[in-house]
Amino acid sequence: MNLPLRWISLAAVLPAAVVLAGCDKTLDSGDLQSKIATNIKTQVGQTVKVKCPGDIKAKKGTIATCTVTLPNGSTVKAHVTLQSDNGKFSYVLAK
């Protein structure tokens, strides 16, 4: 069933790849984007595009905002919170 995303609040806890960049660990933004898009597709049956910043530090409590483009071209925000230093994250969609 395809449900309009604008009416659904999604939340998930997923792992993302962590990359060492110098002394800091950062999330692989491509992996993060893919995991969020796949999770949305699984939950509501819609293919979306996700764009996240490339410098998200892999540290528990870090918060980042990704932009999710819906099939109709409108956008919503995915507020991502790191649950661990190893790439486990949760996200919530919001307008």
Side-chain angles (χ1 to χ4, degrees):
M1 169 187 350
N2 286 342
L3 299 173
L5 271 179
R6 67 179 184 271
W7 300 114
I8 297 174
S9 176
L10 298 178
V13 177
L14 305 165
V18 175
V19 177
L20 284 174
C23 295
D24 294 325
K25 290 192 294 185
T26 60
L27 287 185
D28 178 339
S29 62
D31 187 51
L32 178 64
Q33 292 164 173
S34 176
K35 293 221 166 120
I36 292 171
T38 298
N39 184 260
I40 291 170
K41 174 77 172 170
T42 299
Q43 289 193 43
V44 296
Q46 291 189 15
T47 300
V48 298
K49 293 181 182 175
V50 181
K51 180 67 178 162
C52 298
D55 60 349
I56 302 171
K57 296 213 183 307
K59 183 174 180 175
K60 183 177 179 177
T62 297
I63 298 171
T65 302
C66 301
T67 301
V68 178
T69 303
L70 306 177
N72 68 4
S74 63
T75 60
V76 295
K77 300 297 181 188
H79 299 290
V80 177
T81 303
L82 265 42
Q83 303 296 317
S84 74
D85 295 345
N86 296 321
K88 185 176 177 183
F89 70 94
S90 63
Y91 75 93
V92 179
L93 294 181
K95 288 187 179 187

